[in-house]
Amino acid sequence: EQKHNLQPYKPLLEEARESSRIKLHAGFLSRTYARKLLKEPEQDVLRSASKWLQPMTTSLEGSDFHYNVFESMLSGRSIHSLEPPKERFLGIFKAQLLKDTAMAY
């Protein structure tokens, strides 16, 4: 069970549900897929999560800048530092990209 607080979105979701012009698709990608991504090949996880992703999603790509910002938020390192980001959060970064990709679709 996911424990997301949907209360702040209730008015928007109710309005969308009552509208005949809006087709509502709601949900969050299960954390199961993010955990799998830390243990299984990316392609296998993308196949198993395909109903949540844009058709033909074949990889999870993030820019170096995106990872720099992501890593700095987890490590506390300034993104303006001359010290490059450490690679220890790359697995978690891929999991975040997967969740972001699903939410964007």
Side-chain angles (χ1 to χ4, degrees):
E1 176 180 314
Q2 306 290 321
K3 294 186 170 128
H4 300 288
N5 179 11
L6 298 179
Q7 199 60 35
Y9 306 101
K10 187 176 180 180
L12 176 67
L13 293 172
E14 287 178 347
E15 184 177 328
R17 182 175 58 188
E18 293 169 8
S19 172
S20 61
R21 298 179 322 143
I22 298 172
K23 187 174 180 181
L24 183 63
H25 297 274
F28 295 96
L29 181 70
S30 169
R31 291 183 179 124
T32 302
Y33 296 110
R35 279 193 292 275
K36 282 184 174 187
L37 195 55
L38 297 173
K39 300 174 183 173
E40 299 176 19
E42 183 176 310
Q43 294 302 313
D44 293 350
V45 177
L46 290 175
R47 272 192 292 280
S48 68
S50 63
K51 76 176 188 174
W52 296 95
L53 305 174
Q54 182 173 0
M56 306 303 291
T57 299
T58 57
S59 66
L60 299 169
E61 301 292 328
S63 69
D64 289 342
F65 178 75
H66 186 187
Y67 181 70
N68 185 23
V69 172
F70 181 83
E71 186 271 351
S72 72
M73 290 190 299
L74 295 176
S75 70
R77 180 189 56 79
S78 170
I79 62 170
H80 305 293
S81 169
L82 297 178
E83 175 187 353
K86 295 184 174 40
E87 294 184 4
R88 74 182 258 207
F89 297 113
L90 282 171
I92 298 170
F93 181 61
K94 282 286 187 170
Q96 186 62 49
L97 289 173
L98 178 63
K99 292 184 93 137
D100 293 349
T101 298
M103 289 298 287
Y105 180 62

